[in-house]
Amino acid sequence: MKRTEFNYQLPPGLIAQRPLEQRSASRLLCLDRQSGGLNDRQFKDLPSLLEPGDLLVFNNTKVIPARLFGHKTSGGRVEILVERLLNTQECLAQVRASKSPKPGAELVLDDGSQLRVLARQDGFFQLQSIGTGLMDLLQRLGHMPLPPYIAREDNDADRRRYQTVFAESPGAVAAPTAGLHFDRALLDQLSDSGIESTTVTLHVGAGTFQPVRVDNIEDHQMHAEWLEVSRSACEAITAAKTRSGRVVAVGTTAVRSLETAAQGGSLAPYSGDSSIFIYPPYRFRVVDALVTNFHLPESTLLMLVSAFAGREKILAAYRHAVEQEYRFFSYGDAMLLS
């Protein structure tokens, strides 16, 4: 398939720059995968749109303050975006500078802390924190890594709002944004309605924002991300299927986690890297319904939801969302594909 088959026109003014005051105050566009029918709802209506016995699968990754600023010892300014923590002292990162640093160079952060360049790997730099733990350094100096389409600097509120209320496992450099709509009151209401939940972990990498540059999408190489689907998550999913409940993935990261864990033919516990690329046609083995945000034109995430609900139905839904002035992308509104 061609990349251009997943394009749509989006007025820049519909790209949400800030979150709503209340998480669950977002709008929810419901798409029936069978008929293509659309229904405009509110996200807080979700409990009435699911059934007792359904199972929500959340990604419990926690966004780290992964953006750092400093300078080279030669004086040139640098911006560092951590992609992945390798251990307590080392990471892979993107480094933006007027001239790329070489192995052995030292980068000086705004408080004088230092990172040493160890090597370069596939467009990333392997960096080592000198004298202090990397996570401690990020907590002291790091900025929340807002997506490039949010045209403002991060602020203190983003530390709370660019994070799900159920985040537990630090390691992501981008939020699993479908989960941002859930607050504690809504989670309690879902539980009281007999809708169960479980969690997986996928540490979202900065590569999630990388565009597809090849014309034929089959030639695109996905970035690798670390994920874990536990035995308890597998058991919860099996139990839901047994009682004829739906497995409702919250976000494309939950989809990619579950479908990776089922690549052997059936769902099984999994821990490790995945570079799964889901695009039409794809046979889903685990997921029955999907809560997701709106995605960028020609992105791998738009291709994933097109595989799930049909490309033409998704593009028709996006046209409707534009006409109805839904808010798009990370801090925007949501869809339910059921």
Side-chain angles (χ1 to χ4, degrees):
M1 300 185 74
K2 297 293 185 181
R3 181 190 72 232
T4 53
E5 295 180 61
F6 299 89
N7 200 358
Y8 66 92
Q9 298 301 311
L10 178 67
L14 295 184
I15 300 174
Q17 297 296 308
R18 285 178 168 79
L20 298 175
E21 185 175 342
Q22 294 183 334
R23 290 177 183 266
S24 60
S26 302
R27 298 167 72 187
L28 181 67
L29 177 58
C30 301
L31 169 61
D32 186 306
R33 291 196 293 154
Q34 299 298 321
S35 68
L38 298 171
N39 191 5
D40 298 303
R41 303 291 293 265
Q42 297 294 313
F43 199 85
K44 61 184 65 174
D45 296 334
L46 186 62
S48 67
L49 300 171
L50 302 179
E51 299 289 340
D54 285 348
L55 177 74
L56 289 163
V57 182
F58 296 104
N59 180 5
N60 68 359
T61 190
K62 189 172 185 177
V63 181
I64 57 176
R67 181 169 279 117
L68 298 164
F69 297 93
H71 61 271
K72 294 185 287 187
T73 53
S74 62
R77 292 291 294 174
V78 296
E79 178 181 343
I80 300 162
L81 178 60
V82 173
E83 164 74 12
R84 176 185 293 205
L85 301 177
L86 299 176
N87 52 52
T88 59
Q89 300 293 127
E90 298 178 9
C91 67
L92 290 179
Q94 300 175 18
V95 177
R96 294 178 59 184
S98 57
K99 187 176 181 180
S100 295
K102 296 180 179 180
E106 292 185 357
L107 308 177
V108 183
L109 302 180
D110 286 342
D111 74 337
S113 300
Q114 293 182 314
L115 297 172
R116 180 177 293 118
V117 180
L118 299 181
R120 190 165 188 176
Q121 301 180 15
D122 299 327
F124 295 104
F125 292 84
Q126 185 176 348
L127 306 179
Q128 179 186 53
S129 178
I130 301 173
T132 186
L134 191 56
M135 187 59 77
D136 175 68
L137 186 151
L138 290 171
Q139 293 297 337
R140 285 191 294 108
L141 299 175
H143 293 255
M144 290 302 276
L146 296 181
Y149 46 74
I150 294 182
R152 62 175 176 84
E153 298 297 322
D154 67 300
N155 56 41
D156 289 341
D158 292 311
R159 288 229 174 190
R160 178 175 57 88
R161 290 305 303 273
Y162 195 60
Q163 195 83 268
T164 66
V165 298
F166 44 81
E168 291 182 350
S169 180
V173 301
T177 55
L180 297 179
H181 304 281
F182 292 84
D183 52 30
R184 289 296 178 190
L186 182 59
L187 290 172
D188 290 343
Q189 187 180 355
L190 287 161
S191 178
D192 292 343
S193 300
I195 297 156
E196 300 190 11
S197 66
T198 189
T199 60
V200 298
T201 304
L202 185 146
H203 292 324
V204 191
T208 192
F209 301 116
Q210 292 297 314
V212 177
R213 294 187 172 91
V214 294
D215 290 331
N216 296 315
I217 65 173
E218 294 86 353
D219 298 330
H220 176 68
Q221 181 61 50
M222 287 286 287
H223 60 286
E225 294 168 312
W226 185 89
L227 67 86
E228 181 175 26
V229 177
S230 66
R231 183 170 299 280
S232 62
C234 293
E235 291 172 349
I237 290 165
T238 299
K241 297 281 191 182
T242 300
R243 63 176 178 263
S244 299
R246 291 176 298 176
V247 175
V248 184
V250 178
T252 57
T253 58
V255 174
R256 294 178 61 229
S257 299
L258 297 177
E259 294 300 318
T260 293
Q263 281 192 301
S266 60
L267 184 67
Y270 181 90
S271 179
D273 283 353
S274 174
S275 56
I276 188 172
F277 181 18
I278 297 175
Y279 57 88
Y282 178 88
R283 184 175 68 85
F284 289 84
R285 295 182 172 88
V286 182
V287 179
D288 301 307
L290 171 61
V291 177
T292 185
N293 277 24
F294 294 94
H295 305 295
L296 277 73
E298 299 185 3
S299 65
T300 60
L301 303 183
L302 184 59
M303 294 168 190
L304 184 153
V305 297
S306 295
F308 189 72
R311 184 183 66 89
E312 293 183 359
K313 292 173 184 174
I314 285 290
L315 292 179
Y318 273 51
R319 288 192 295 271
H320 174 87
V322 169
E323 292 169 358
Q324 298 301 313
E325 297 186 341
Y326 277 71
R327 301 165 70 252
F328 276 66
F329 305 158
S330 293
Y331 275 149
D333 295 315
M335 295 184 71
L336 172 63
L337 312 180
S338 64

